[in-house]
Amino acid sequence: MLFSLTGPQAQMEQSILDGALLAVDEINNDGGIRGQELLAAIYDDHSEVLSSARGINHLCQNEDVSVIVGGYTSASRIAMLPAVHANRALLMYPTYFEGEETDSRVFYCGAAPNQYLADYLRWVADNLGRKVYTIGSDYVYPRVLAEAIARHGVHLDMETVGTWYAPLGETNFQSALDDIGRKQPSVVMCNLVGLDSTTEFYAQFNRAGFDASTLPIAATVTTEVDVAHMPAALTDGHYMVGSYFSGIDSEVNISYRQSLLEVRDQRWAHPAQVGAYNAVHAVRIAAEHADSTESAHLSAALLGVRFDRNPEGLPFHFLNDHYSAHPSYVARARNGRYDVIDEFSPRLPEPWWSGSRPLATPR
């Protein structure tokens, strides 16, 4: 397991680790892997992207690990890839992300953009408005999503009237809010990552006189961890898309949430956490089918995995391109949580749906 357990990403990534460790506990209570206990070696990269590669080397060379469940930001995933290949390991990446990548040693346990953004864009256009302002953290995921929103929004008569990028951890959004005031969008699509940035943007957005009734935020990264740590007055009425929300009404999800609280003392659940949970169960199933934990055998076996107790509501499985199947939902924030208000049919992943051609967008 490789996550940021200290530093600015710690609260989010600890919650993702909790999903993975819950799966370890369930597997061991069910007899382990062919009778052997599953042990988790954990590395903290301290919220430092360059430390992610060192973590791969440590886990593979010092802990004799062949499969790593880890990473949250795309920046950390990209930093890990050379070390993953050098150590002939596999990376189970738990987070929904920007796509634009296929790698023989990575299994993508979160959704590709076409699996959550395609239907969300149409929903936003039909329900919130067609003049869009995008704001995001300044790295690959928010930039690719902003480009996808602009590119695919054209087909929905949506106009991107402004785009703003902020450094990771930024807490001053006055210039962006001034620009929003000038451009007068009908909806702000928020791709800011990190609790500090997200909290400050929503707070300053509110202080600037904007609210959900007149200018809703349609987010892709403001998770239930984020809204739970903000006053409800800042988030009520704003929107989020995801392949999972904690309020999904199913026996499997209710059981998952109860176990998460009892075993890990974790109250918050979100898509990346569920991705880590599914990843560990998928590795267990693959190891039993392959009768091996070597990466080459596991890689082949993972393509035949089917994990039926996926809290998202769809059996978890991989396709030949190592991407996975997911439903998607739209939710609205209320009293520090999200209420699911719409659901879309699952889509097969399209890794290159976003398009990699850069767009000229105003700042």
Side-chain angles (χ1 to χ4, degrees):
M1 314 285 182
L2 199 163
F3 292 104
S4 300
L5 305 179
T6 53
Q9 292 293 110
Q11 192 153 44
M12 172 60 71
E13 298 199 35
Q14 176 63 60
S15 72
I16 303 173
L17 176 61
D18 285 330
L21 293 178
L22 173 60
V24 170
D25 184 80
E26 291 177 349
I27 289 165
N28 287 334
N29 286 338
D30 194 38
I33 298 178
R34 293 188 176 274
Q36 295 188 19
E37 185 179 16
L38 180 60
L39 299 177
I42 300 170
Y43 186 90
D44 175 12
D45 68 11
H46 306 290
S47 300
E48 298 175 3
V49 168
L50 295 179
S51 183
S52 300
R54 293 195 294 271
I56 297 290
N57 290 330
H58 171 83
L59 289 170
C60 293
Q61 297 168 18
N62 294 32
E63 304 285 354
D64 197 27
V65 165
S66 58
V67 181
I68 296 95
V69 177
Y72 176 54
T73 68
S74 287
S76 68
R77 183 192 73 255
I78 291 167
M80 291 179 199
L81 291 182
V84 169
H85 280 266
N87 288 284
R88 300 179 181 273
L90 297 179
L91 174 63
M92 309 294 289
Y93 183 61
T95 310
Y96 65 97
F97 73 123
E98 73 282 348
E100 305 294 298
E101 175 184 297
T102 54
D103 191 290
S104 62
R105 292 193 174 275
V106 182
F107 283 82
Y108 304 95
C109 304
N114 77 294
Q115 293 175 294
Y116 60 93
L117 186 60
D119 290 309
Y120 191 40
L121 277 180
R122 184 175 298 278
W123 187 92
V124 167
D126 290 343
N127 293 276
L128 304 182
R130 288 178 159 80
K131 290 182 64 177
V132 177
Y133 193 102
T134 58
I135 183 167
S137 301
D138 194 3
Y139 74 101
V140 59
Y141 169 84
R143 283 188 171 271
V144 171
L145 255 64
E147 292 177 7
I149 290 165
R151 180 176 292 109
H152 294 281
V154 168
H155 305 297
L156 301 169
D157 295 323
M158 299 176 83
E159 178 190 5
T160 297
V161 298
T163 302
W164 193 275
Y165 297 107
L168 277 168
E170 180 61 71
T171 57
N172 186 344
F173 295 98
Q174 188 59 55
S175 295
L177 292 166
D178 289 344
D179 198 39
I180 289 170
R182 287 190 296 270
K183 302 293 177 55
Q184 296 189 330
S186 51
V187 59
V188 173
M189 297 203 70
C190 181
N191 304 317
L192 290 169
V193 177
L195 185 60
D196 290 346
S197 291
T198 304
T199 299
E200 282 303 315
F201 176 70
Y202 277 70
Q204 292 168 39
F205 186 86
N206 181 267
R207 288 200 297 270
F210 302 121
D211 62 52
S213 65
T214 56
L215 182 58
I217 297 172
T220 68
V221 204
T222 308
T223 71
E224 292 182 84
V225 175
D226 296 301
V227 298
H229 286 83
M230 288 189 261
L234 302 182
T235 60
D236 277 1
H238 294 301
Y239 300 89
M240 173 67 177
V241 67
S243 57
Y244 169 85
F245 287 98
S246 64
I248 292 173
D249 187 14
S250 70
E251 177 273 328
V252 170
N253 184 48
I254 291 169
S255 176
Y256 171 75
R257 293 293 313 286
Q258 182 176 351
S259 297
L260 191 65
L261 183 60
E262 292 177 354
V263 176
R264 299 299 309 163
D265 194 29
Q266 178 59 257
R267 290 178 290 161
W268 298 292
H270 54 90
Q273 179 194 77
V274 170
Y277 174 81
N278 288 338
V280 176
H281 276 291
V283 169
R284 184 260 184 107
I285 297 167
E288 291 184 333
H289 287 175
D291 196 18
S292 171
T293 56
E294 292 189 5
S295 62
H297 296 154
L298 284 175
S299 183
L302 279 165
L303 296 178
V305 159
R306 180 186 171 97
F307 176 53
D308 290 324
R309 292 191 64 79
N310 174 7
E312 292 177 348
L314 183 74
F316 181 75
H317 62 281
F318 294 106
L319 287 83
N320 287 338
D321 58 12
H322 291 198
Y323 280 66
S324 46
H326 301 275
S328 64
Y329 306 87
V330 175
R332 182 168 51 219
R334 180 176 63 88
N335 294 332
R337 53 164 291 169
Y338 281 116
D339 296 328
V340 174
I341 59 173
D342 212 342
E343 178 180 357
F344 307 115
S345 298
R347 288 175 175 261
L348 292 176
E350 297 178 33
W352 308 104
W353 176 84
S354 296
S356 56
R357 177 177 58 84
L359 294 177
T361 51
R363 176 165 181 166

